[in-house]
Structure formats: structure tokens, C-alpha cells
Amino acid sequence: MTRILVVEDEESIRESLAFLLVKEGYEVQAIINGSEAFEAFEKFDPDLVLLDIMLPGLSGVEITKKIRQKSQTPIIMLTAKDTELDKVLGLEIGADDYVTKPFSGRELLARIKALLRRTGEVISVDGGLKVGPIEIDQDRHQVLIRGQETSMPLKEFELLLYLTQNSGRVLTRNQLIDRIWGSDYFGDTKTLDVHIKRLRARVEKDPAKPKYLQTVRGVGYKFENKATE
Ligand code: CA
């Protein structure tokens, strides 16, 4: 399920946004206070953030800066009318888009979908995911690679799913190990590399020169959704 974090102190806007997004099939966490936004971001691990600029605690601009230090998760700023300065500033510090209040639900949903597409995920109604040469049906644990059904061990499936869900984002070795093997895993960290190697053999046309499952030297791995074969 695609998760959206909403940070908005105006109750009427926050509640109608949450209603709209839940109805659209997103998992939503809505918070009021800017000072709680970053913690909520880390815990909820959203796929997209809707962020008001004028907030109690910490402003939307400050929150964006903090998020951008560690993540490229798409951010849409919700700006009050006639605050051109805020819009420009928001985009300069790394927000991806903005909508001006009052906005229509339809317009906002279109922006959200466009951004999620741009980050490489195509969400279909049944919770499936298509990115690069890969199609994953989460419910059925089914993977198609270039249209061919491919079965794989559970950990490989989970690793591929997590990497593709976070397409374009660098994931550290620790993040990956925590997520797939659990934070109490004290095994050999080579296990991760072995799984990546196996996935490359399945996914890449030339596993020796991976285009999708890329190593980020000294950090971890990322799934490059914009690769061309
Ligand atoms: Ca506000």
C-alpha cells in the first residue's frame, strides 16, 4: 500500500485531505505539528509527503531540508495563496511540487500520481507494482521479469520488493538488513551481497554490468528505475 504523510495544522484541510486520500486507497498518517513531522517521516516511511509551509513547531521549509538530508521521497508543498516566495523557496530546497490553497482534490490527486509515477512506481488497483522490467504481485508473491514468471526464495522476493518500492532511492546496507532480516540479525553481512548477486542474475541482462540493481559504493544499493537496457 502506498503511504502518504500529511502535515497540516488547519483541521478542515487536514481532515478532508485524509478522507480524500484514504478513499483513493492510500494509507495515510496526518499530523498537526511541524516539530513531530520528521519523527513521523522516519517511523511511517511514507512514499510521498504533503507538507504545509506555515506550521506550529517547525516550518515546512525546515522539514523539507531535514528530509532531503536523508531521502528523496517526493514532497508536495501546500502553499497559501500569493506566497510566491514560499513556492520558489520550497522547490529550491528540494520539494518536488506545490499546490496553492484552495486546491481541488482532483488536481492534487493528479499531482500525487504524477510524482509517484516519476519515482518509478506504477501502482495498480490490486496492489501490484511495475518498475523497469519487473512486475510484482504482492498478494500472490508473483514476480514477472520481462514478462516471464520467475520464482525465487522468500528473502530474495522481499529484498527485490523493498528495493523496487524505493526505486531511485539509495538504501543503506543497514536499512536493507534491518528490513529483510530484522534488526536482531547478527549474521554475516555478506548475506546481503549474495542475495543482490542472485537477484542481478535474474533481473539484469548483463549481471556483470548491472543497470537496475546498482551498488552505491560505501553506502548500499539502489534500484535504478530510469535505466535503459
Ligand atoms: Ca498552516
Side-chain angles (χ1 to χ4, degrees):
M1 213 177 188
T2 305
R3 291 183 296 273
I4 299 185
L5 176 67
V6 176
V7 190
E8 169 62 76
D9 59 326
E10 264 167 77
E11 193 180 355
S12 61
I13 298 179
R14 187 178 61 253
E15 285 182 354
S16 51
L17 275 177
F19 180 79
L20 175 79
L21 295 171
V22 167
K23 208 176 83 186
E24 199 63 21
Y26 296 112
E27 190 181 340
V28 177
Q29 187 178 343
I31 61 168
I32 303 167
N33 200 304
S35 54
E36 290 160 12
F38 190 67
E39 203 191 328
F41 176 82
E42 290 204 299
K43 279 196 182 148
F44 187 52
D45 190 23
D47 300 288
L48 186 139
V49 182
L50 293 178
L51 193 56
D52 184 26
I53 292 188
M54 297 296 287
L55 287 162
L58 207 60
S59 79
V61 171
E62 296 302 319
I63 296 163
T64 302
K65 278 188 199 162
K66 258 184 115 168
I67 290 176
R68 280 292 169 265
Q69 282 171 13
K70 62 164 289 188
S71 162
Q72 291 305 312
T73 301
I75 297 174
I76 300 178
M77 291 255 176
L78 310 174
T79 69
K81 59 177 180 191
D82 298 332
T83 49
E84 276 305 321
L85 191 69
D86 282 345
K87 289 171 197 166
V88 174
L89 187 60
L91 296 178
E92 270 178 3
I93 55 152
D96 297 275
D97 203 354
Y98 61 83
V99 292
T100 307
K101 297 174 193 171
F103 48 82
S104 78
R106 233 173 74 185
E107 186 198 351
L108 180 65
L109 288 174
R111 302 281 187 94
I112 289 172
K113 284 180 183 146
L115 264 181
L116 289 172
R117 261 199 307 275
R118 215 167 80 196
T119 55
E121 262 186 350
V122 178
I123 315 292
S124 70
V125 275
D126 57 1
L129 176 153
K130 188 172 186 301
V131 58
I134 299 167
E135 287 174 61
I136 300 178
D137 184 327
Q138 240 171 299
D139 301 332
R140 293 186 195 146
H141 269 235
Q142 191 183 51
V143 183
L144 298 181
I145 299 174
R146 294 182 189 85
Q148 295 289 311
E149 191 169 345
T150 308
S151 61
M152 59 184 75
L154 181 64
K155 291 294 180 201
E156 271 180 64
F157 174 82
E158 289 176 345
L159 182 60
L160 183 64
L161 181 64
Y162 189 54
L163 282 160
T164 49
Q165 281 174 332
N166 291 282
S167 289
R169 227 193 273 180
V170 179
L171 298 166
T172 67
R173 301 179 60 82
N174 279 339
Q175 272 175 319
L176 290 166
I177 290 167
D178 278 7
R179 180 73 177 218
I180 309 303
W181 286 274
S183 51
D184 54 351
Y185 178 80
F186 288 107
D188 191 347
T189 61
K190 288 241 169 8
T191 302
L192 173 62
D193 305 309
V194 169
H195 279 74
I196 293 281
K197 201 174 162 188
R198 287 184 191 147
L199 282 176
R200 278 177 178 155
R202 299 182 194 283
V203 170
E204 304 286 350
K205 279 194 166 165
D206 180 1
K209 290 176 190 154
K211 292 194 162 177
Y212 296 103
L213 291 156
Q214 293 191 354
T215 301
V216 182
R217 206 170 284 274
V219 183
Y221 293 100
K222 78 166 174 178
F223 189 90
E224 181 50 76
N225 50 299
K226 295 184 186 81
T228 46
E229 296 188 321

